[in-house]
Short mmCIF file of all heavy atoms in Angstrom, two decimals:
data_model
loop_
_atom_site.label_atom_id
_atom_site.label_comp_id
_atom_site.label_asym_id
_atom_site.label_seq_id
_atom_site.Cartn_x
_atom_site.Cartn_y
_atom_site.Cartn_z
N PRO N 61 35.64 74.74 197.50
CA PRO N 61 35.45 76.13 198.03
C PRO N 61 36.69 76.57 198.99
O PRO N 61 37.11 77.76 198.85
CB PRO N 61 34.09 76.11 198.84
CG PRO N 61 33.35 75.07 198.08
CD PRO N 61 34.31 74.00 197.80
N ALA N 62 37.13 75.66 199.85
CA ALA N 62 38.18 76.04 200.75
C ALA N 62 39.42 76.22 199.95
O ALA N 62 40.21 77.17 200.27
CB ALA N 62 38.42 74.93 201.71
N TYR N 63 39.68 75.51 198.93
CA TYR N 63 40.78 75.81 198.00
C TYR N 63 40.72 77.07 197.30
O TYR N 63 41.72 77.86 197.26
CB TYR N 63 41.04 74.56 197.06
CG TYR N 63 42.15 74.77 196.07
CD1 TYR N 63 43.47 74.81 196.46
CD2 TYR N 63 41.83 74.87 194.59
CE1 TYR N 63 44.54 74.88 195.56
CE2 TYR N 63 42.94 75.01 193.77
CZ TYR N 63 44.24 75.02 194.24
OH TYR N 63 45.20 75.16 193.38
N ALA N 64 39.60 77.37 196.71
CA ALA N 64 39.32 78.62 196.03
C ALA N 64 39.54 79.77 196.98
O ALA N 64 40.19 80.74 196.64
CB ALA N 64 37.99 78.59 195.39
N GLN N 65 39.07 79.63 198.16
CA GLN N 65 39.15 80.77 199.11
C GLN N 65 40.56 80.95 199.66
O GLN N 65 41.08 82.01 199.62
CB GLN N 65 38.23 80.51 200.31
CG GLN N 65 38.30 81.61 201.37
CD GLN N 65 37.36 81.31 202.58
OE1 GLN N 65 36.44 80.54 202.40
NE2 GLN N 65 37.60 81.89 203.60
N GLU N 66 41.13 79.95 200.12
CA GLU N 66 42.50 79.97 200.75
C GLU N 66 43.64 80.24 199.81
O GLU N 66 44.42 81.14 199.99
CB GLU N 66 42.73 78.70 201.67
CG GLU N 66 41.83 78.44 202.74
CD GLU N 66 41.96 79.50 203.85
OE1 GLU N 66 42.95 80.25 203.97
OE2 GLU N 66 40.91 79.69 204.63
N CYS N 67 43.69 79.40 198.77
CA CYS N 67 44.69 79.59 197.83
C CYS N 67 44.53 80.71 196.76
O CYS N 67 45.45 81.45 196.40
CB CYS N 67 45.00 78.27 197.09
SG CYS N 67 45.29 76.93 198.21
N GLY N 68 43.26 80.74 196.45
CA GLY N 68 42.83 81.79 195.41
C GLY N 68 42.94 83.24 195.98
O GLY N 68 42.82 84.24 195.30
N SER N 69 43.11 83.37 197.29
CA SER N 69 43.09 84.73 197.88
C SER N 69 44.53 85.36 197.56
O SER N 69 44.64 86.61 197.60
CB SER N 69 42.92 84.67 199.34
OG SER N 69 43.87 84.07 200.13
N CYS N 70 45.53 84.59 197.25
CA CYS N 70 46.78 85.09 196.97
C CYS N 70 47.27 85.10 195.35
O CYS N 70 48.04 85.80 194.88
CB CYS N 70 47.95 84.43 197.85
SG CYS N 70 47.70 84.81 199.51
N HIS N 71 46.75 84.00 194.84
CA HIS N 71 47.08 83.79 193.44
C HIS N 71 46.03 82.91 192.80
O HIS N 71 45.08 82.51 193.51
CB HIS N 71 48.50 82.96 193.32
CG HIS N 71 48.52 81.64 194.09
ND1 HIS N 71 47.86 80.52 193.71
CD2 HIS N 71 49.16 81.27 195.25
CE1 HIS N 71 48.13 79.50 194.63
NE2 HIS N 71 48.96 80.06 195.51
N LEU N 72 46.10 82.63 191.54
CA LEU N 72 45.15 81.83 190.75
C LEU N 72 45.16 80.47 191.61
O LEU N 72 46.09 79.86 191.93
CB LEU N 72 45.61 81.52 189.44
CG LEU N 72 44.78 80.61 188.53
CD1 LEU N 72 43.45 81.11 188.27
CD2 LEU N 72 45.58 80.21 187.29
N ALA N 73 43.91 80.02 191.88
CA ALA N 73 43.75 78.63 192.39
C ALA N 73 43.97 77.63 191.27
O ALA N 73 42.98 77.28 190.51
CB ALA N 73 42.31 78.43 192.98
N TYR N 74 45.21 77.33 191.11
CA TYR N 74 45.59 76.51 189.90
C TYR N 74 44.93 75.18 189.83
O TYR N 74 44.70 74.60 190.90
CB TYR N 74 47.19 76.22 190.05
CG TYR N 74 48.03 77.48 189.91
CD1 TYR N 74 48.69 77.97 191.09
CD2 TYR N 74 48.20 78.10 188.67
CE1 TYR N 74 49.40 79.06 190.98
CE2 TYR N 74 49.03 79.25 188.67
CZ TYR N 74 49.59 79.69 189.81
OH TYR N 74 50.37 80.83 189.70
N PRO N 75 44.48 74.80 188.66
CA PRO N 75 43.73 73.53 188.60
C PRO N 75 44.66 72.38 189.06
O PRO N 75 45.83 72.41 188.73
CB PRO N 75 43.49 73.36 187.07
CG PRO N 75 43.45 74.81 186.57
CD PRO N 75 44.48 75.53 187.41
N PRO N 76 44.23 71.50 189.84
CA PRO N 76 45.03 70.42 190.36
C PRO N 76 45.71 69.43 189.32
O PRO N 76 46.73 68.92 189.52
CB PRO N 76 44.12 69.61 191.27
CG PRO N 76 42.73 69.93 190.83
CD PRO N 76 42.80 71.34 190.27
N GLY N 77 45.10 69.49 188.10
CA GLY N 77 45.69 68.69 187.11
C GLY N 77 47.05 69.21 186.54
O GLY N 77 47.71 68.47 185.70
N LEU N 78 47.39 70.38 186.99
CA LEU N 78 48.82 70.95 186.54
C LEU N 78 49.87 70.29 187.12
O LEU N 78 51.07 70.42 186.64
CB LEU N 78 48.80 72.35 186.74
CG LEU N 78 47.75 73.25 185.90
CD1 LEU N 78 47.85 74.72 186.30
CD2 LEU N 78 48.10 73.07 184.43
N LEU N 79 49.73 69.68 188.17
CA LEU N 79 50.81 69.02 188.95
C LEU N 79 50.52 67.58 189.31
O LEU N 79 49.28 67.24 189.62
CB LEU N 79 51.17 69.75 190.28
CG LEU N 79 51.86 71.11 190.08
CD1 LEU N 79 52.01 71.82 191.48
CD2 LEU N 79 53.24 70.92 189.50
N PRO N 80 51.47 66.62 189.53
CA PRO N 80 51.27 65.32 190.04
C PRO N 80 50.91 65.49 191.55
O PRO N 80 51.19 66.39 192.26
CB PRO N 80 52.57 64.56 189.76
CG PRO N 80 53.60 65.61 189.70
CD PRO N 80 52.98 66.81 189.24
N ALA N 81 50.33 64.29 192.02
CA ALA N 81 49.97 64.31 193.47
C ALA N 81 51.14 64.56 194.38
O ALA N 81 50.94 65.19 195.31
CB ALA N 81 49.23 62.96 193.86
#
Side-chain angles (χ1 to χ4, degrees):
Y63 177 66
Q65 179 182 338
E66 297 294 341
C67 303
S69 66
C70 294
H71 56 74
L72 173 71
Y74 296 106
L78 293 175
L79 288 173

